[in-house]
Amino acid sequence: MVEFDIEKNIAIIGKQMVVFHCNHYNLTLQRTIIDAIGEKGITIQINAAMRSTQQMLSNIDGDIKQFAIDNFSKLGFGVLDCSSLNEDGGIVKVPFSHYAIAWFEKFGPCKEAVCHFNAGYILGIINSLYGKNLNHTNIKETACRAMDPESIESCEFEVKL
Amino acid sequence: MIDSDRITKELSEYPLIGDENGLIATFGVYLTRMFADYYSEISYEFEKEFSIGIPEEVQEAARLLLIEAGHVCGFNTFGGIMKSDEWKAIVLPMINKHEDWIVGMIACINALGWGRYTINNLVPDKELVLDIANSYESTYHLKTYGNTAKTGKCYLAVGASVALMNLLYNGDITEYPELDEDFYNHLFLNSSKFIGEEVLCRSKGDNICQIRVSLS
């Protein structure tokens, strides 16, 4: 799945460069952006994730939905349950979101949902599968495990057209 | 003697993929293998958005914040790697002198997909100059904005490079300290901390990216 170019020291999936980073960087970067510019920072992150996902999937042959689901897990983002997702939207569950689990460990409980990358990734899947042009206004994280991992088993995302 | 090629090859082939929960728990952190363009897009869009309606001298804050995120990255990821069983098994036996920790860690960085890092110059306790080919940050900046940047755009690279020097020479990662907030503050806030500067950047039209880390 991942092609590593040992000469250039870059890794590629679906013609997209991929890089290893840790939860500390992911969360610090995310929080820095949102703390500084607020809601706009969330929009930037969701739409960037959507674009990168779509670009990757545009270069994949075969079952792109399954590829996207497998890719999400193999790359360390958690588990993606898209069983209720269809052309009209639906609910997506992420039982072990990297962002939610790492956020709670690093910062404690959050007041608002934090899985913006996941939201964008899901939008990228829908846009790629069904030829849609959805954006951050079409998705909402309705449950985030980083708020209360004891009572919230899975992050949930609602997609509406 | 450090066999950099062997280290890079072994780490690049190490099975770093999600477990049954889709998580990569290793080196004391949770790793993700993220789209490089995602990081670059959000960083540069943030920088643009932050700068709207703000005096030029304050706009610098965005760059510093992004470099600070690089500090956090290097501190945790490099620190975690250098404290790991894998480091002890593969790299530590090759180490003959203190500076070999830098050489070994650069070889590890070259397995992360960030581009090719090469040590241009290393003066123990004082300075590190790194040349970077194919840095993912400048790759994105070039294809999105061209090569007309006025200043270097490899913020993560600068921050992480500073972290590396701080870990070895400002603290002492060879003693395997706890990578906690106190240690982080000690490395990055005390008077002997290192600072980084990107002296060459492809985003400015240079052929490579070059980072100089020196004492503040």
Side-chain angles (χ1 to χ4, degrees), chain B residues 44 135-149 153 201-207 209:
Chain B
Y44 301 139
S135 90
Y136 72 84
E137 293 172 279
S138 62
T139 293
Y140 178 87
H141 199 278
L142 277 173
K143 72 181 178 184
T144 308
Y145 306 109
N147 64 353
T148 56
K153 292 296 184 182
C201 185
R202 293 193 300 157
S203 304
K204 296 191 301 176
D206 298 311
N207 290 333
C209 300

Side-chain angles (χ1 to χ4, degrees), chain A residues 2 4 6-11 16-26 28-30 32-33 36-37 40 44-49 51-53 55-56 71-79 96-99 101-102 105-106 116-117 121, chain B residues 5 8-9 12 16-24 28-39 41-43 45-46 49-50 65-66 68-70 72-73 76-77 109-117 133-137 139 143 156:
Chain A
V2 179
F4 187 77
I6 198 79
E7 297 299 322
K8 294 181 179 177
N9 302 92
I10 60 174
Q16 294 297 297
M17 282 179 71
V18 287
V19 292
F20 277 116
H21 271 295
C22 70
N23 51 306
H24 298 280
Y25 180 66
N26 287 340
T28 299
L29 185 61
Q30 173 170 312
T32 294
I33 291 171
I37 62 175
K40 182 68 176 172
I44 285 172
Q45 291 178 75
I46 292 175
N47 287 339
R51 267 190 281 277
S52 287
T53 302
Q55 283 165 8
M56 174 189 68
N71 189 64
F72 189 83
S73 292
K74 286 180 179 169
L75 300 189
F77 295 109
V79 173
F96 300 100
S97 165
H98 162 86
Y99 276 90
I101 289 171
E105 284 189 16
K106 187 174 179 70
H116 311 309
F117 173 79
Y121 193 94
Chain B
D5 288 343
T8 301
K9 185 175 188 298
S12 71
L16 294 173
I17 62 170
D19 60 16
E20 66 275 13
N21 295 327
L23 300 175
I24 307 174
V29 298
Y30 290 111
L31 288 178
T32 55
R33 208 162 197 176
M34 172 68 89
F35 303 118
D37 282 2
Y38 171 78
Y39 288 128
E41 181 174 340
I42 68 174
S43 297
E45 286 297 308
F46 158 66
E49 192 67 29
F50 182 87
L65 286 169
L66 292 170
E68 171 70 18
V72 173
C73 164
N76 287 286
T77 301
I109 291 173
N110 283 334
L112 301 179
W114 294 7
R116 176 173 278 267
Y117 283 54
N134 314 306
S135 90
Y136 72 84
E137 293 172 279
T139 293
K143 72 181 178 184
L156 174 282

Side-chain angles (χ1 to χ4, degrees), chain A residues 57 62-70 82-86 125 129-130:
Chain A
L57 294 178
D63 187 343
I64 62 172
K65 182 179 180 181
Q66 193 57 50
F67 179 90
I69 291 169
D70 292 343
C82 295
S83 53
S84 301
L85 191 66
N86 57 48
I125 294 174
L129 270 179
Y130 305 117

